[in-house]
Structures are given as structure tokens and as C-alpha cells.
Amino acid sequence: MLNLGLEGMMLVGAVTGFLAMNATGSVVPGVFAALAAGAALSAVHGFFSISVKADQVISGLGIVIVGTGLSAILGRSVIGTPPKDTFENVSVPLLGSIPGIGNVFFHQSALVYAGYLIVPVVWWTLRGTRLGLHLRACGENPAAADAMGVPVDLYRYGAVLFGGALAGLAGASLSLAEAPGWTEGMTAGRGWIALALVIFATWDPLRVLLGAYFFGVLDVLAFRAQLIGVHVPSTVLGMIPYGATILVLVLITALGARKRLGAPDALGLPYLREVR
Amino acid sequence: MRTLALRGRPVAVQVAAIGVGLVLSALLATIVHVSPTRALSTLFQGSFGTDFALTQTILRGIPLALTGLAVALPLRMNLWNIGGEGQFHAGAIGATWVALTFGGWSSGALLPAMVLGAVAAGGIWALVAAVPRAIWGVNEIITTLLLNYIAILAVAYLVTGPWRSAQRFPQTELFAPGAVLPRLGSSLVHVGVFFPLAAAAVLAFVLQRSKWGFEVRLIGANPEAARLAGISTARNVVVVMLAAGALAGVAGMVEVSVTFGRLQNGISPGYGYMAIVIAALARANLAGTLIIAVLFGGFVIGGYALQTLGIPAAFVLLMQGTILFSALAGARLAGYRLGSWLPTRLRARWLAKEEPSTL
């Protein structure tokens, strides 16, 4: 399943997360609202890609358009509103006091710890469980999975909804923790950078985490460079994450050219039982 | 082929889908407490209802048609050019450079030079994605999209930095009169209206009659057959994307030349992204792209009218999305996929698994 709609799901997650937090005064409902909103939007993508068997590229791009529009409409009333609650950085006992890395990795918001947890769990689920095996079969060879009695469409729906919920959470991590507040288009292409990450991480969740840190570093460098007064305009610094993503994507694809680079065989293809 | 038997029907389905999409989006207007009929009538009154509105709609249709063609052409060979927005901005930069550097020239020399500047800049911007795609199969969807952000930031850099006007606003100086496309008679419509028409006519002719056009169509219909026939996919990817970038670049030239008369931030309300919806709805048909581009020009202009009812500007995006999904559903109901070129590609990929995946 190809999900190009990440950017749209992140935006809707960011705005609903912020709205729910502002309505209740707590980040917890915000997180759940973001998860639900991301999943809801991904359900639309799932319906069109899986049940309608429409082109996944068009459906995904449609989700980005709808998500951008929807988030802008929903967020009209809260632009510039100060958040009532944000995620605070919490130190993990013991680990947080490790010299050097302790403060970097273990003095973070709860969402960062959730990330630490989700990545290995997803990795292990995909590699080490029957569920993961079935899921990968639905991506590699849905006809074979179907013949084995794996409900292909159900698995695909599950994967799309799970991914959508995570994308919503990613949006909320921006609007509730990283840069609390809502501005239109605040994800600024991160959903697309995430897609590039998956390609150069060759579909491996652990490598995705590494890649995500690499881009986190780039983001921070561009930001810090301004603070210490490097004489490069902010517009030029702002190009760095996008340029670096393109560069790394080209390099990795070139190095692994003509290999499939871990991409599922049936990526982007609807499963049509009748053409099996 | 099945798609041939359905010739003509897809058009009807597409028109119906756009109608259904419009009605559904009008129903969405109830969310912001506007009655659907009022929303629809305001939209049409504000886009096609008066001479002034119609003129504005046609003017908005020009960049949409050019960027639409920039998506439709690569789509003919299964390439997704998501970078129309970036190529548009690159073209605007190229044209502006010419206008600022050779401002003293007469319009007869300056305007063609600006078009050339836009063609070169837009084309080069497309090549940044096209060359890696051609050589290594680097996914063009992601690279063209990310290049959009860079091009928009480049415009922001130029108008706040080296090209900033003497008044210190984030924009360039107004262009010399020779850099402005002439209007037709006393109307607001300018010569740029012929650009998409000429481009579509030339493209249609070349695609149907030339060897190159045959190669592009064959790659689109059956990449495996094209490979066996000794047709270089790589070379055609580069040529097609170069042409696409040039088209979107000219759209940028038109906007800086006459709509704004200078380069500044926010010269596009997302033409390059609307272009994707337009080309998809037109199923990469060139004439269809032109027609739907005018319709979408109406949405942009009608969207302003909707704002007077208290409907937010972003509502136009929801409308586009709703129409697109209606078209996807309509295509399914009618028994074909949105884009007749898609089943063949899917079939070809099924049969020829060795084709390198691009994502």
C-alpha cells in the first residue's frame, strides 16, 4: 500500500490534537483526537485504494489536498492561540543521568518516549510475529497470501489505519510538543520527507528511526545556525532539509540501483482477486 | 482494448463526477452554516456569472492550463510531475532575471527573451528530478515535490535579498512596460491566453504525428513493448520532463509579467497542485486539461466570492478533493480506472516483475 497522503494526515492530526487539547485543557485528549483524525482520513484513502481499487497515487494526493483544506478550515479559530497545555520534558530516572547522552535522549516529552517504544514494537511485529508475516505477504504477494487464507483487504485496511493514526500523532507532536500552537501548513513537507525516509531506510523501521534523527539534526542545525548569527539568510537555510532529502534519496537509490531496495513487490498495486 | 470500447463514455462519467463532487462540496458548506444552493449559486455567479468574473476566470485558467499540461504530458508515460509548483516559481525567477537585466529592450525582444528565460529555468528545475529518475529510477513524485519547497524559498530569498525593491518591500521593482504582455484590445485578457492553446495544439500534433510522440505513447501504454522495440525510456523521461518544466515555467512568466508586473512572494495560490487534479480529471487528455483548467480557474475566482459568505478560502481545496474522489468512485462505477493508461501499466508490471520499482 502506497500512502502519499501523510502530509494531509499530519496536518489534520496537528489541528485536531490542538483543538482537543484547547477544549479540554489537557494534552491527553489531544493525542487521542489526533490518532483518531489521522486514522479517519486514512480510512478514506483505504476505502478508495482497497475497496474502490482506485489508483493509490491519485487517492494519496487527494488526501493531501483534502487534509490541507480541512486543517485550514478547522484551525481558523485557533491561529495564534497560546496552548493551554503542552507536553513537558520529563527525565527518565537513571537513564536521564547518563553523562552526555542522558540529557539528549532521556530528557524529552512523553511523545518521544512513545516513539522509542513504537519503533521496536513495529519492527518486531513485522519481523517476528505471524501478524507481521501475513502483513508482509499482503504487500509482497497478495495472491499467495489470499490463497493461504489471509484476508488481504482486512490486513491492508489495518495497516493503512495504523499508519494514518501514527501520522496524526506525528502532527500532534508538532502542535502539542515541538512548536505548540497551530499555523496553516505547519508540517512544511515533513510528510513527504517521511516518505523519502522510508525509501532510504529500505522499509526497515529501525533504519527509519536512524534516518529520522539524521533529519532532525539537519533541522536543528539550520535553526541553530541562525541563532549563532551565521550570515546565511533564513530562506536559504530553510532549503537544507529538502535539498538534503533529495540528495540522500538520489545517492541511496543510485547505490542500490536496479535492486528493489526492500520495497514490497505489490507496492501501489490494488489487489484484484479476479486477475490473480 | 476495453478502454477503446468505452471511448466517449469516460467523458460523460467525468462530467457527472465533477457535478456530483460540486453538489457534495456544496453540502459541506452547511458545516459553516451556508445553504448548499446559496453556495453553489454564489460560486457560479462569482466565476462565470458576469463579464468581469468570466474574464478573471479565463485569466486564472492560463497558468492552470499551462501547469495542467505540465502534469498531463508526463502522465502520458506514467510519470507523475508533482513539481509544477516549483517549475512555475523557477520560471518566474528566470523571466524576472531577464526582465530586470534587459529592461531597456523593446517588448518585441524582451517578451520572447523572458519566455526563453522561463522555459530554461523551468526546464532545468524539472531536470533536477528527471535526470536521477532516468538514470537510477529515483522516485520522481518525492523529488519533484520537495523541489517545490526549494523553489518557493528561492523566490523568498531573491525578493528579500538581492532583488529587493528600493522601497524595501519583499518584492522586486515593477517591470519596465516592455516586459508586460500586451492586453487584447480594451479587455483585461492578454496575449498569454494563446500560450496554453498553442502549447496544447503543438503537443497534440507532436504526440500523434511524430516518432517521438509515438515513443512516448508506447512507453505509456506498454513499457515492456517499448523496451523490446529499443526505445530509450531514460531519454524520453528527460525530454518529457524538460518539456513539462518549460510549460510550467511559462506559466510563471505569464504571472510575473502581467498579473503582478514584478516578482514577489505568493505569486501562486497552488497552481502546480491544482494542476495535478486537473490532469487527473482530464485523464491526461490535452483538450480536456484546457477545459478543466478554465473550470478550476472559476473555482479560484468563485472561491473569493464564497469568502464573502463567510466560507473560508481553504474550502476550495476541499471542493477539489471531493471532486477528485467523486471521479475515482465514478471511474470505478463505470468499470474503468481514472486514467485509461493505468490498467495497461498495472498489467505490464504484473507480467514483467523485473521492471525496477520506483518506490
Side-chain angles (χ1 to χ4, degrees), chain A residues 2 48 52-53 55 57-59 65 69 72 76 189 192 199 203 233 235 238-239 245 254 258 260 267 269 272, chain B residues 80 135-136 145-147 149 153-154 157 277 312 314 317 325 328 332 337 342 345-346 349 353 356-357 359:
Chain A
L2 177 58
F48 279 95
V52 177
K53 304 191 191 305
D55 185 73
V57 173
I58 299 183
S59 172
I65 294 168
R76 268 192 315 165
W192 295 100
I199 299 180
W203 276 259
T235 44
M239 298 177 188
T245 307
R258 303 294 160 209
R260 298 201 59 105
L267 184 66
L269 301 178
L272 308 161
Chain B
W80 281 100
I135 303 177
W136 301 295
L145 185 113
L146 292 172
L147 284 167
Y149 287 97
L153 283 167
Y157 163 69
V277 183
L317 286 173
F325 282 116
L328 283 174
R332 170 66 173 171
R337 257 165 227 292
L342 286 169
R345 173 184 73 153
L346 297 181
R349 272 182 64 175
K353 273 289 167 61
S357 161
L359 187 81

Side-chain angles (χ1 to χ4, degrees), chain A residues 130 133-134 137-138 141-152 155 271 273 276:
Chain A
R130 180 173 288 267
L133 181 70
H134 286 172
C138 292
N141 192 339
D146 192 19
M148 290 283 295
V150 177
V152 175
Y155 270 85
Y271 177 54
R273 191 173 245 178
R276 183 162 58 178

